Amino acid sequence: EVDLMESGGGSVQAGRSLRLFCHVSGLSFEDYSIGWFRQAPGKEREVVSCISSTSDTKFADSVKGRFTMGRTFLQLNNLKPDDTALYYCAARFDYSGRCYMTANEYAYWGQGTQVTVSS
């Protein structure tokens, strides 16, 4: 069984950093891609970043240059109030090395971890 669980969220002041973690079980490290998505109250879900099975990464324009990513974590630097959202990690099987930036491409999801950024 594939299981994902996020952790590391919290409430911080703008300009501070957080590191979110995505714990994945049931998948081989080399055979899946990870995506991070976020959803604020009243807003649609949006992509944050992705990392492929070959460690290629992509970032949304809104976080590019501020966030970094590994296969087990999402580092959020220089946080802004607009970053406030419930953050989800997701996984999908991948053998091509492609990095997926669309939520519907992912089959497995965690329950989310809350990030709140105050001004």
Side-chain angles (χ1 to χ4, degrees):
E1 180 180 344
V2 177
D3 184 65
L4 279 71
M5 185 174 68
E6 305 91 342
S7 62
S11 182
V12 299
Q13 188 177 352
R16 302 293 182 93
S17 298
L18 284 173
R19 178 171 285 212
L20 309 182
F21 299 91
C22 181
H23 181 267
V24 179
S25 62
L27 292 172
S28 172
F29 185 88
E30 298 85 2
D31 293 340
Y32 65 90
S33 299
I34 292 289
W36 282 92
F37 299 83
R38 65 187 184 184
Q39 187 165 22
K43 301 293 183 65
E44 63 187 20
R45 181 175 52 188
E46 65 175 346
V47 66
V48 175
S49 65
C50 64
I51 185 166
S52 74
S53 60
T54 55
S55 298
D56 187 36
T57 58
K58 294 181 181 178
F59 294 89
D61 288 342
S62 59
V63 306
K64 193 175 299 181
R66 298 188 297 120
F67 293 7
T68 60
M69 184 183 188
R71 294 190 61 79
T72 62
F73 70 90
L74 178 70
Q75 179 71 33
L76 295 72
N77 298 314
N78 192 24
L79 283 162
K80 304 176 180 179
D82 285 348
D83 295 320
T84 295
L86 188 65
Y87 283 70
Y88 300 90
C89 67
R92 62 160 287 152
F93 288 112
D94 178 71
Y95 304 100
S96 68
R98 181 176 176 179
C99 191
Y100 300 90
M101 295 282 278
T102 303
N104 288 340
E105 299 281 359
Y106 292 89
Y108 308 104
W109 292 80
Q111 293 300 308
T113 186
Q114 179 67 39
V115 171
T116 301
V117 184
S118 60
S119 60

